[in-house]
Amino acid sequence: MMRVFGDGNICQELDLRVVPSGRSVINLRLSVFSRKAKEGPNERFFIDLTLWGELAENAAESFQRGDSVIFSGVIQEDSFTGRDGSERKSLKIVGDSVGPALRYATARPVKVGTSDNRSEDANREQAAKDKEIVEDAFGAVEEEMPF
C-alpha cells in the first residue's frame, strides 16, 4: 500500500452516488501539474480520486468543478476490459482526506455532525446508533443494571 499526497483542480462535474450497500461514493477527476525545477515546462496529467461515506457527502457539498483541492489517500489498482476486449489496468487513489487548497482561495469550515446541522432524520438515526452501542456494551437498556 502506497500513501500519496497531492493537490489538483477538479475538472469534471461532481456526481455523488449511493451504491447498493447504502454507502455514498464520489469520483473526482483531478488535473495535476508536475512541478519541474530545471527540466522545462510543467506537465499536466489526470488523477482519479475516489471518496467514500461521509467524506464523499462532504466533498459533494463543499466542492464544484474548477475548485483547487489537496488530498491524501492510498493508491489502488483496478482491472477492466477495454473497448477492444483487452485486459487493462489503471491506478486510482482512494482518498481518506480532502480539503480546499488555500493558495488562491479562502475557506470557512463548518463542522458537520452536530445536532444543529443535521436533519431530524439524521438525529434519530444517530440516537438509534447510540442506543445500539449502549445495548451492545451493557445489554438491553430496559434491564436493571446490577450496580
Side-chain angles (χ1 to χ4, degrees), residues 82-99:
R83 291 181 183 170
D84 60 358
S86 64
E87 287 296 315
R88 297 189 173 201
K89 294 184 181 202
S90 68
L91 296 177
K92 70 177 179 181
I93 298 171
V94 178
D96 54 29
S97 182
V98 66

Side-chain angles (χ1 to χ4, degrees), residues 31-139:
S31 171
V32 177
F33 286 92
S34 65
R35 293 182 177 89
K36 297 181 181 179
K38 297 180 183 177
E39 298 178 23
N42 295 339
E43 294 180 21
R44 183 171 73 162
F45 59 98
F46 297 94
I47 292 176
D48 292 321
L49 177 66
T50 301
L51 307 174
W52 290 92
E54 286 184 88
L55 182 59
E57 294 167 10
N58 292 341
E61 182 73 25
S62 302
F63 301 124
Q64 61 186 2
R65 182 179 180 206
D67 286 346
S68 183
V69 298
I70 56 174
F71 62 87
S72 68
V74 294
I75 294 179
Q76 186 176 64
E77 182 179 64
D78 278 343
S79 299
F80 63 95
T81 304
R83 291 181 183 170
D84 60 358
S86 64
E87 287 296 315
R88 297 189 173 201
K89 294 184 181 202
S90 68
L91 296 177
K92 70 177 179 181
I93 298 171
V94 178
D96 54 29
S97 182
V98 66
L102 302 179
R103 179 178 286 181
Y104 304 111
T106 62
R108 193 157 308 279
V110 175
K111 187 173 182 178
V112 295
T114 63
S115 59
D116 294 340
N117 295 336
R118 291 188 296 194
S119 69
E120 197 163 316
D121 288 339
N123 285 331
R124 275 196 296 274
E125 185 177 317
Q126 185 62 46
K129 286 179 184 176
D130 292 345
K131 181 180 177 185
E132 186 177 315
I133 290 170
V134 170
E135 287 177 351
D136 285 346
F138 298 108

